[in-house]
Amino acid sequence: MVAKIKLSSVFGSEQVPAHQARGVIEERLRGAILDGRLPPGTAVRQQELATLFGVSRMPVREALRQLEAQGLLQVEMHKGAVVAPLIGEDAVDTYALRILLESEALRQSIPRLEADDIEAARDYIRQLENQTAHAEIGRLNRLFHMALYSKASNHKLLRLIEHELNEEERFLRFHLSAMGLGTLTQDDHLALLEAASQRQVETAVQVLEAHLNKGAQAIRAYLDRQAGTSA
Ligand code: NI
């Protein structure tokens, strides 16, 4: 399935100042991938984007590289960059991996969290309360989790986690309502925040595990339904 989509119909024509080009183009593309305007398989061509935004190819290439590193684009032979597939059977593995990585990040980070980090996390929960746009929910969820992990000493670990969270963000945009995870997730987030602010590391790890297991179960149920193997 090759999606033929004119990028100009998605982005219109927006002239971007050269010094902001990379950041703006990355954000525009990211938003369009996350909310489904650019579906998996869509070819994303450097020259087309450069023309559309009135910039040289260099910032476009840099933006595409960032999105590739985040797992949103992949480079295919003879086609160049295309929007990466949404989700596969490995989504459940992704959650299992997240439990390992994020438990460790919590253990490292919680003892070193400062009042600012806790407040930032609390604010993301607040913003999530009123949010209905799936792409934005995914983004706020990622920022909430990252705020609690932010003081982990292993930076490579944090980069891996951010990568997995980006995967989840991509998944959430289509399936959040189908999974019915909304309010459950907020209860978990509040419990996680509470444990973190009390420096109760093991409690926080338990809450996180339960939180991510719910996600894994919801995805498994969703995939089963898609495959028609359950009623
Ligand atoms: Ni969450």
Side-chain angles (χ1 to χ4, degrees):
M1 177 186 68
V2 180
K4 280 207 171 146
I5 292 201
K6 260 191 165 322
L7 297 178
S8 58
S9 68
V10 173
F11 298 108
S13 66
E14 177 183 8
Q15 297 300 299
V16 183
H19 66 286
Q20 294 174 355
R22 189 201 59 77
V24 171
I25 292 169
E26 184 186 336
E27 272 311 301
R28 295 288 184 276
L29 278 171
R30 189 185 166 73
I33 292 170
L34 292 179
D35 69 18
R37 279 175 293 147
L38 290 179
T42 305
V44 179
R45 292 186 190 80
Q46 285 181 23
Q47 188 54 58
E48 198 177 346
L49 285 167
T51 307
L52 204 57
F53 288 97
V55 297
S56 72
R57 284 168 72 141
M58 177 121 71
V60 173
R61 195 179 311 131
E62 284 168 8
L64 297 187
R65 202 171 287 147
Q66 289 296 321
L67 294 165
E68 194 192 343
Q70 293 161 18
L72 295 174
L73 292 179
Q74 60 189 30
V75 175
E76 288 184 3
M77 278 247 277
H78 310 303
K79 281 174 76 179
V82 300
V83 177
L86 181 62
I87 184 175
E89 290 293 328
D90 66 350
V92 174
D93 291 348
T94 297
Y95 272 85
L97 188 61
R98 282 188 55 191
I99 288 174
L100 290 175
L101 298 176
E102 294 178 40
S103 297
E104 177 58 21
L106 267 186
R107 287 198 172 93
Q108 291 183 12
S109 180
I110 284 180
R112 305 163 66 190
L113 283 177
E114 289 163 26
D116 282 359
D117 302 315
I118 300 284
E119 266 324 293
R122 195 184 303 282
D123 193 54
Y124 292 128
I125 294 181
R126 237 178 255 135
Q127 292 181 56
L128 275 164
E129 278 307 317
N130 312 312
Q131 193 51 249
T132 53
H134 292 183
E136 190 58 12
I137 290 172
R139 189 182 75 89
L140 291 167
N141 179 66
R142 169 170 55 85
L143 292 172
F144 165 76
H145 282 271
M146 289 310 292
L148 292 185
Y149 311 149
S150 61
K151 291 296 191 292
S153 51
N154 187 330
H155 292 176
K156 196 161 184 180
L157 175 66
L158 283 181
R159 279 201 297 279
L160 278 174
I161 289 172
E162 195 152 29
H163 184 268
E164 298 305 324
L165 280 165
N166 276 315
E167 293 275 294
E168 185 191 32
E169 205 174 321
R170 207 147 45 92
F171 175 79
L172 278 176
R173 88 187 135 148
F174 285 115
H175 308 302
L176 199 68
S177 50
M179 297 194 305
L181 274 176
T183 47
L184 275 177
T185 298
Q186 279 291 68
D187 290 347
D188 290 349
H189 286 168
L190 283 166
L192 190 51
L193 180 70
E194 184 61 20
S197 65
Q198 305 287 324
R199 316 281 167 189
Q200 295 166 340
V201 175
E202 289 314 310
T203 304
V205 168
Q206 281 166 24
V207 172
L208 177 71
E209 245 180 71
H211 178 55
L212 295 178
N213 275 323
K214 276 179 212 165
Q217 278 163 19
I219 288 180
R220 193 174 294 125
Y222 176 85
L223 291 173
D224 286 350
R225 277 200 304 277
Q226 293 288 93
T229 52
S230 74

